[in-house]
Amino acid sequence: MVSLLLIVPIIGAVVVTIGKREFAKWTALFFTSLELLLSLFTCFKFNFFASDFQFVEFKKWITDFSIAYKVGIDGLSLLMILMTTFITIIAVLSAWNYINTQEKLFYALLLCFEAFSIGVFVSIDLLLFFVFLETAVITATLMTGIWGNNKNTSSTTRFFVFSSVGSMLFFVGIVTIYVLFGKSAGYFTFDITELSNNGFSVEVQKILFWFFFLAIAFMIPVVPFHTGIPNAIVESPIPGSILLAGILPKFGAYALLRVCLSLFPNAFKIYALPVSILGIITILYAVLIAPTQKNIKSVIAYGSISMMGFVLVGISGLNACGLKGSIIQMFSHGLVISGLFFIVGMINKSANLVTKISIFSVILVMALIGLPGTSSFVGELLTIIGSLKISKVIGLLTAFGIILSAVCLIYACKDALLKKPSVSNIKDVALREFIVLLSIVFVVIFVGIYPKLLLKLVHGYTKLVLEGVKNGI
């Protein structure tokens, strides 16, 4: 089951590569649609009442170093898979009339990115997680460098350098925990489920926590480690922007939940307040910078960073409300940001906003600021409740961040996304574009009105991880 989710996009990439150029986008659409159907089928087969990994597949890989191919799915990873497969289809359709050069290579890389992203979310072996993470980042870098704004290669270079620094820290952390665990337990492993019972002292956990957290901070991104991401998003083609802003930050948030929270719960409890403060700084900085940006893609990029700040605050709450809120915010962030970039791509192809998408623009901007009735509101509300358990000050600052983001982001988006369309030169919306926007808005509103389904999906994961936090190691 899990391996099939990884194989299908790779097969699609091969078929795109050997097929004819004019069929490349249709082939990519077929395989990404098939992948979405597979993820939905997995959801139907998933046991919502179980906390542990399901559909686990294990095969020894490099036995001398205890490296294995071990993958599986729990509620957290399943939600991220559903988000990834949905966003990838959006990226394919956004590229429909946008990518006109080296189309076969582009769609092959896009399908590979999907496979590697899902690999990140299903890996139980920590080194396998790192391999998928790095290949996904490299693929995203290639897409930005080849099809982005060729006049400004510094953005791609900066993104790659920042990602490399984070990767180096992450790898050092992996090797360190591998060696320390092996010496204390008498055997070596990269298995996350076994490493979660590492028995490390609090002092060791504190050191390892910061190695991983600093690496993760480049991916989320957390201010002041954010500077590699916004420019890369701006300089990327629209499909690249969707993937960079919609999926890539989830790698960092997912690693924070899967690695830092699971392996170093005692250290996380100690540093929960500093982490939440960094989340508040990220929110406030991003929403204050957004109105100063002249490029709408840059505005959305900073709006994206502010939303991920709420994720960081929610996780650092170390309680059920905060964790569930942060996970729903991760899901909502991916859909809302992808939808906004999709609209920007449509605007770039037409001189005026079209009447039919004005309502979509308004709804997605309202979701960006967390308006009640949208999925972001659920995530932000639960985050505030969870942050109040850290301290009342953190809770109040989180609430203030929501109010400030509403003011700043509406002001920043009003000219490009919220103005009335001109009655002249109106271009009709293609059916595929209308279906994409309608689908995104439907999910955003459905989750906003009925979040119980997602809350039920991630309940098992949050219950298990909070038991680990409560009991320590």
Side-chain angles (χ1 to χ4, degrees):
M1 177 73 74
V2 182
S3 293
L4 192 61
L5 286 168
L6 296 172
I7 292 171
V8 166
I10 298 298
I11 294 174
V14 173
V15 174
V16 166
T17 303
I18 63 178
K20 294 184 178 180
R21 174 178 172 272
E22 54 267 29
F23 297 135
K25 57 187 178 184
W26 288 103
T27 304
L29 180 60
F30 171 79
F31 279 96
T32 52
S33 300
L34 179 60
E35 187 76 349
L36 177 60
L37 291 174
L38 283 172
S39 65
L40 291 172
F41 178 74
T42 305
C43 190
F44 285 120
K45 299 286 288 185
F46 186 80
N47 181 1
F48 280 60
F49 298 99
S51 301
D52 297 327
F53 284 100
Q54 301 174 43
F55 317 117
V56 175
E57 299 176 20
F58 175 82
K59 186 175 179 60
K60 291 182 179 180
W61 186 9
I62 305 175
T63 54
D64 291 343
F65 296 98
S66 302
I67 302 172
Y69 172 80
K70 188 175 183 180
V71 293
I73 294 174
D74 63 1
L76 173 62
S77 53
L78 180 56
L79 186 59
M80 293 299 99
I81 291 169
L82 290 169
M83 180 202 70
T84 299
T85 53
F86 189 23
I87 291 176
T88 309
I89 292 180
I90 298 171
V92 169
L93 292 173
S94 71
W96 210 256
N97 294 322
Y98 195 98
I99 302 299
N100 300 313
T101 59
Q102 296 180 279
E103 294 173 59
K104 291 169 62 174
L105 177 60
F106 176 83
Y107 288 110
L109 287 174
L110 190 149
L111 285 161
C112 287
F113 180 85
E114 180 179 35
F116 301 147
S117 298
I118 291 174
V120 170
F121 298 131
V122 300
S123 295
I124 302 177
D125 184 276
L126 192 55
L127 190 63
L128 185 65
F129 175 94
F130 178 76
V131 170
F132 278 125
L133 177 65
E134 281 307 291
T135 48
V137 170
I138 291 171
T139 305
T141 304
L142 288 172
M143 294 173 70
T144 302
I146 297 173
W147 290 275
N149 185 355
N150 295 325
K151 296 178 181 178
N152 189 4
T153 57
S154 61
S155 298
T156 306
T157 304
R158 183 185 300 177
F159 170 70
F160 183 73
V161 169
F162 273 73
S163 299
S164 298
V165 172
S167 300
M168 180 182 67
L169 291 170
F170 204 93
F171 184 72
V172 170
I174 290 174
V175 173
T176 304
I177 193 173
Y178 172 80
V179 173
L180 292 177
F181 181 85
K183 289 183 177 180
S184 63
Y187 66 97
F188 294 91
T189 183
F190 287 104
D191 191 320
I192 293 175
T193 56
E194 294 188 40
L195 291 174
S196 62
N197 300 310
N198 54 64
F200 294 156
S201 68
V202 174
E203 294 303 316
V204 172
Q205 284 193 40
K206 287 161 69 174
I207 295 170
L208 288 170
F209 173 86
W210 283 112
F211 260 107
F212 283 100
F213 181 80
L214 290 175
I216 290 166
F218 288 101
M219 291 183 276
I220 288 182
V222 178
V223 175
F225 308 100
H226 68 289
T227 55
I229 295 288
N231 288 337
I233 293 173
V234 172
E235 299 302 329
S236 292
I238 289 296
S241 298
I242 289 172
L243 299 178
L244 280 176
I247 298 176
L248 204 65
K250 311 312 179 305
F251 295 167
Y254 182 83
L256 191 63
L257 290 164
R258 186 67 75 198
V259 179
C260 288
L261 189 54
S262 298
L263 304 190
F264 320 118
N266 295 327
F268 211 129
K269 284 188 283 188
I270 294 171
Y271 294 122
L273 181 59
V275 170
S276 66
I277 291 172
L278 283 173
I280 296 293
I281 292 171
T282 300
I283 295 167
L284 298 179
Y285 176 84
V287 297
L288 289 172
I289 288 293
T292 67
Q293 305 302 303
K294 297 180 180 179
N295 188 319
I296 186 59
K297 290 180 73 177
S298 187
V299 171
I300 298 172
Y302 279 101
S304 167
I305 292 173
S306 72
M307 289 184 75
M308 292 305 296
F310 288 106
V311 171
L312 195 60
V313 174
I315 294 173
S316 60
L318 300 180
N319 54 70
C321 280
L323 286 181
K324 289 180 179 179
S326 65
I327 295 169
I328 290 181
Q329 184 75 342
M330 288 164 64
F331 178 81
S332 177
H333 170 275
L335 268 59
V336 171
I337 295 300
S338 299
L340 287 171
F341 276 119
F342 189 87
I343 289 174
V344 171
M346 295 174 65
I347 295 172
N348 289 342
K349 290 295 182 180
S350 176
N352 301 290
L353 279 172
V354 287
T355 306
K356 289 184 179 179
I357 67 165
S358 297
I359 185 63
F360 296 126
S361 301
V362 171
I363 292 173
L364 290 177
V365 171
M366 294 303 103
L368 181 66
I369 64 174
L371 190 76
T374 65
S375 53
S376 300
F377 174 75
V378 177
E380 291 177 1
L381 178 63
L382 291 175
T383 296
I384 292 175
I385 296 172
S387 64
L388 285 169
K389 297 183 181 181
I390 306 173
S391 76
K392 291 183 179 179
V393 174
I394 295 296
L396 290 173
L397 286 173
T398 305
F400 174 72
I402 293 175
I403 297 170
L404 186 64
S405 67
V407 174
C408 293
L409 293 176
I410 287 178
Y411 175 81
C413 294
K414 65 181 178 65
D415 289 334
L417 296 178
L418 302 178
K419 65 182 180 181
K420 292 182 180 180
S422 170
V423 295
S424 61
N425 194 29
I426 294 294
K427 176 187 175 184
D428 202 12
V429 182
L431 180 61
R432 66 176 181 279
E433 296 170 336
F434 185 79
I435 291 174
V436 167
L437 293 175
L438 185 63
S439 301
I440 296 171
V441 167
F442 172 78
V443 176
V444 167
I445 294 176
F446 177 80
V447 174
I449 296 174
Y450 189 75
K452 184 178 179 180
L453 193 62
L454 296 193
L455 293 173
K456 183 180 178 182
L457 177 62
V458 302
H459 176 74
Y461 164 78
T462 54
K463 180 182 177 181
L464 183 65
V465 77
L466 288 175
E467 286 176 357
V469 171
K470 181 180 179 180
N471 299 328
I473 292 179

